[in-house]
Amino acid sequence: MDPVYNGMPAAQLGVEGWHKPWSGGNGGSCVEVLKLADGRVALRQSTDPDGPALICTHHEIESLIQSAKAGEADFLFA
């Protein structure tokens, strides 16, 4: 079984290497990301660093970012 899985406590992934690429102007609440050794990406809520981590493949993260850049998530702000 893969020791890194969706929903695992983010704290189990360590404290080093987490980044806040989308922070600013939101009162300190943001999504933090960690690139894993196998190329996957872990996401966690900055206000709950011990909470669950969402583990995404490189392709999933790439698709999310490209879709957001193309405006495909703009409906979330309407």
Side-chain angles (χ1 to χ4, degrees):
M1 179 176 192
D2 188 353
V4 176
Y5 58 92
N6 272 317
M8 70 182 296
Q12 290 182 7
L13 295 169
V15 295
E16 299 296 321
W18 289 95
H19 298 277
K20 298 179 182 182
W22 304 289
S23 66
N26 56 10
S29 177
C30 59
V31 173
E32 296 179 326
V33 297
L34 174 67
K35 187 172 181 182
L36 303 174
D38 64 4
R40 292 182 295 171
V41 176
L43 296 99
R44 72 179 181 187
Q45 173 60 33
S46 64
T47 58
D48 187 14
D50 296 330
L54 176 63
I55 310 299
C56 300
T57 66
H58 175 81
H59 176 73
E60 290 167 336
I61 289 295
E62 182 178 33
S63 295
L64 172 69
I65 292 170
Q66 293 301 325
S67 295
K69 285 182 176 181
E72 295 175 21
D74 290 353
F75 71 93
L76 294 169
F77 305 105

